Amino acid sequence: MHRQERDGRAGAQGVAHSATGRGRAGRLPREAWTWPSASLLGGLPPAARDRLLTLGALTRYPTGRVLMRETEESTFVLILLDGAVKATGRTHDNREALLAVRMGGDLVGEFAAVDGRPRSATVTTCGPVTARVVTRGDFLDSMRHDELIAQAVNASIIAKLRVATTHRVDFTGCDAPTRLARVLYQIAMAYGESTGAGAVIRWPITQPELATLAGTAEPTVHKALRKLREAGVVSTGYRTFRVENLAELRQLAFGRR
């Protein structure tokens, strides 16, 4: 095992709230969690998913724990089983920019595992998180020897790159309220829990984070959110964000229902 991989994995496990089980002995029954079909775990056939979940150590993290830091040279991978994490990066003027959110069923840290380069983002838990911590060696071995897992991981990486490209294209020429509406709609569709005509997002997202995602100033986000709340399109609660009417939000975001 490379030194940077060993150090990185130790760092991830060292911040854990609790950790139990390694390898096959640490595997939880398949019915312990359910994952969206669009996620890595949700899209894998059961047998392939079970093989993937034999890797690494089952680990639990508390809220607000940094799991990976931007520019560090660790190469371990996290298979998220439950909870949400956010990926952030530093801008040229030293602001923290929210780059992505990952939920149970997603893979985190695979870029560094694949190319061996430093981390491109800082990853922090948005609430209690359960994951499997997998070394780079074990992760790459599983891809080399298991075609289904390799195909699923490659598809997951491509999907993330496509989302990033779409995000840039969608924002070209849009005003700030439209960009915010698109951000909220994308988050709700990818990570929200369906509730009638809307969706609820059960992890905290701040106005500064929304501002960085939408590429606009925080006061502008505050003003646009106020208008959305007054129109009954969104509402907020303790550690939750609710889209009351997805069709209306889609209309505001893309001009169609």
Side-chain angles (χ1 to χ4, degrees), residues 25-251:
R27 188 177 67 187
L28 295 186
R30 186 186 307 157
E31 62 272 14
W33 291 288
T34 58
W35 300 284
S37 59
S39 68
L40 174 72
L41 293 181
L44 274 171
R49 182 170 60 234
D50 284 351
R51 292 193 297 273
L52 183 61
L53 292 180
T54 63
L55 301 178
L58 181 66
T59 310
R60 294 184 175 89
Y61 301 98
T63 303
R65 191 56 55 93
V66 174
L67 306 180
M68 303 170 182
R69 291 189 183 277
E70 186 177 3
T71 73
E72 76 177 13
E73 296 186 349
S74 61
T75 55
F76 63 89
V77 174
L78 294 175
I79 304 172
L80 298 183
L81 303 178
D82 191 42
V85 302
K86 62 182 179 181
T88 58
R90 286 289 173 182
T91 64
H92 67 280
D93 56 355
N94 206 36
R95 291 185 299 111
E96 186 178 76
L98 179 61
L99 305 175
V101 175
R102 303 287 177 238
M103 305 285 285
D106 288 338
L107 201 59
V108 176
E110 71 273 29
F111 284 20
V114 170
D115 64 17
R117 298 181 64 182
R119 300 290 188 189
S120 57
T122 295
V123 176
T124 308
T125 60
C126 297
V129 166
T130 304
R132 295 199 73 87
V133 184
V134 182
T135 66
R136 183 190 189 197
D138 287 347
F139 176 69
L140 294 180
D141 280 346
S142 72
M143 291 183 64
R144 279 192 290 266
H145 299 122
D146 197 313
E147 184 178 356
L148 287 176
I149 290 176
Q151 289 175 348
V153 170
N154 288 334
S156 175
I157 291 173
I158 290 171
K160 290 176 181 179
L161 295 176
R162 284 186 180 276
V163 167
T165 300
T166 300
H167 185 87
R168 289 194 297 269
V169 172
D170 278 351
F171 281 13
T172 302
C174 293
D175 59 20
T178 300
R179 294 200 300 272
L180 176 63
R182 291 185 178 185
V183 164
L184 294 176
Y185 184 81
Q186 291 165 357
I187 291 173
M189 294 302 294
Y191 302 112
E193 298 176 14
S194 179
T195 57
V200 61
I201 302 162
R202 299 190 185 280
W203 46 269
I205 183 166
T206 66
Q207 290 190 21
E209 288 171 342
L210 285 175
T212 58
L213 277 179
T216 190
E218 188 178 344
T220 303
V221 167
H222 179 76
K223 181 179 179 181
L225 277 178
R226 185 175 68 248
K227 289 184 177 180
L228 289 173
R229 282 193 294 261
E230 291 171 350
V233 177
V234 304
S235 62
T236 56
Y238 177 67
R239 297 181 66 83
T240 62
F241 187 95
R242 183 183 296 269
V243 177
E244 302 291 352
N245 191 322
L246 276 170
E248 183 63 26
L249 183 60
R250 182 180 176 87
Q251 172 68 27

